[in-house]
Amino acid sequence: MALTPYNKEVITVLSSAASTLDSTILGSGPAVEVVITVEKSPVKYYVNGSTPTTGVTGSGHTLRFGDALTLDESAELSNFKVIAISPTATLYVTYYS
């Protein structure tokens, strides 16, 4: 089945606090998949609700500049948390239904 993009967002991720996906966008459509690309600098993330920590030795999975992440489980979408390893990073997010 072909997916249709229905919304997008740009997230500025800081190294001082974890960011999440926009719950109002998630609630505005039946998101079945989200594609996230990383711009500017690397980030750490979790999809189980845990809070990643900053720094090169911080906890969480690492995404680097140019990497893409696809989330296709509702628990992953609602529990996604991300933090920048250096001062700021930018994520481009496309929501599909």
Side-chain angles (χ1 to χ4, degrees):
M1 179 165 96
L3 297 176
T4 304
Y6 75 89
N7 214 327
K8 63 180 173 39
E9 73 173 312
V10 178
I11 302 173
T12 299
V13 182
L14 305 176
S15 61
S16 58
S19 299
T20 61
L21 297 174
D22 188 328
S23 61
T24 59
I25 293 175
L26 286 172
S28 70
V32 295
E33 187 171 285
V34 171
V35 176
I36 301 166
T37 58
V38 180
E39 303 292 329
K40 206 169 173 181
S41 64
V43 297
K44 297 274 190 179
Y45 76 95
Y46 281 118
V47 294
N48 65 355
S50 297
T51 301
T53 57
T54 192
V56 176
T57 59
S59 68
H61 303 283
T62 301
L63 291 173
R64 295 182 183 356
F65 171 76
D67 285 350
L69 174 67
T70 300
L71 304 176
D72 59 6
E73 298 290 332
S74 60
E76 292 176 329
L77 299 175
S78 60
N79 291 317
F80 177 78
K81 290 185 182 178
V82 62
I83 195 164
I85 291 175
S86 58
T88 61
T90 303
L91 302 181
Y92 288 87
V93 183
T94 303
Y95 295 82
Y96 293 88
S97 61

